[in-house]
Amino acid sequence: MEVFFEKEALEAFIKSLGFWGPLVFFILQVLQAIIAPIPGNLFTIVGGVLFGLWPGFLLSYAGNLVGSLIGFTIVRKAGKPALRKLVKPERFERWMAVLGSEKGDSRTKVLLILVVTLPFLPSDLMCLLVGLTAISYRAFIIIIILCRPWGQFAAAFLGGSSFDIPLEFLIPLILVVIAVAVLAIIFAPRLESFALSKSRAVLDRVSRNKDDDSEEE
């Protein structure tokens, strides 16, 4: 049991797996980016605990980028039938309504940036959805490379530093994290509805500004 409570014992256990430990973790991160219901940030926290801040973050970041690109490519090639097998119909319809079109315009890029960067938004889902649009591979890759790491770094930091925090601070921190996770699960539909309304407002503003610029020209 000490392997779960002592950092040195846990590190020794992971090292005993040799090459397979990091590889299995990397594969899980790839899969969670494609299978949207798997909570990716939880894996990242675990990665921070198992491998430390930077190794855990880099493994998570690399796996997430690879998974996002694979999911995007699957949807780009196979279209809506493949996406409907990966995403619940109601979520597909809600977010496609916000996306507004299947053109690779500024609206698509702004929505992808917002969802991938901000917490409590379905970033993996959005990486799949934009595969239906005309957004280029280049634009997609640039956005996920620049916007993906922030939440993952925070999660890896939480996991990687957990064993170094004094117990009197660690216990309240764990309780706060658990409380936030529970509230996020309970209020997930409301949070998503709120995010949808705010995203739609931002995107409508972007579209209006674009139309105004076109009229001036």
Side-chain angles (χ1 to χ4, degrees):
M1 292 295 292
E2 66 175 359
V3 69
F4 298 106
F5 297 99
E6 295 183 10
K7 184 176 181 181
E8 292 76 12
L10 185 57
E11 288 178 345
F13 173 72
I14 293 300
K15 289 179 180 179
S16 70
L17 297 178
F19 177 77
W20 296 106
L23 178 61
V24 169
F25 180 79
F26 174 81
I27 292 173
L28 287 174
Q29 281 290 16
V30 171
L31 291 176
Q32 71 82 20
I34 301 171
I35 306 173
I38 300 176
N41 281 338
L42 294 181
F43 276 110
T44 306
I45 292 174
V46 172
V49 173
L50 296 181
F51 307 109
L53 170 58
W54 286 107
F57 164 69
L58 292 174
L59 280 170
S60 297
Y61 184 39
N64 204 271
L65 290 180
V66 171
S68 297
L69 186 56
I70 291 174
F72 177 84
T73 302
I74 290 173
V75 175
R76 174 60 56 91
K77 299 295 184 183
K80 289 183 180 180
L83 186 56
R84 290 185 182 278
K85 292 181 180 179
L86 297 172
V87 181
K88 292 182 179 179
E90 58 272 17
R91 297 192 80 201
F92 172 82
E93 298 298 338
R94 282 202 305 266
W95 283 98
M96 280 305 296
V98 177
L99 195 56
S101 70
E102 297 184 6
K103 298 178 181 179
D105 57 9
S106 58
R107 184 184 183 92
T108 301
K109 295 173 184 176
V110 170
L111 182 60
L112 180 60
I113 291 171
L114 285 174
V115 174
V116 170
T117 305
L118 299 176
F120 301 115
L121 295 180
S123 56
D124 296 323
L125 170 63
M126 187 53 55
C127 288
L128 297 174
L129 285 176
V130 297
L132 295 176
T133 73
I135 188 173
S136 67
Y137 271 97
R138 180 176 180 273
F140 176 77
I141 291 172
I142 289 174
I143 289 172
I144 62 171
I145 286 176
L146 295 179
C147 299
R148 272 291 195 185
W150 312 113
Q152 290 187 327
F153 182 82
F157 177 81
L158 178 61
S161 61
S162 61
F163 286 96
D164 299 321
I165 300 175
L167 187 61
E168 61 269 23
F169 295 107
L170 178 60
I171 293 177
L173 178 61
I174 292 175
L175 292 176
V176 169
V177 171
I178 293 174
V180 171
V182 170
L183 290 174
I185 293 171
I186 293 174
F187 294 102
R190 295 185 184 181
L191 287 170
E192 187 163 326
S193 297
F194 176 78
L196 279 166
S197 64
K198 293 301 180 182
S199 298
R200 186 178 287 112
V202 171
L203 293 171
D204 289 343
R205 187 176 304 170
V206 170
S207 298
R208 285 197 300 270
N209 291 340
K210 186 178 179 181
D211 292 340
D212 291 342
D213 292 339
S214 299
E215 291 176 2
E216 291 177 2
E217 293 176 359

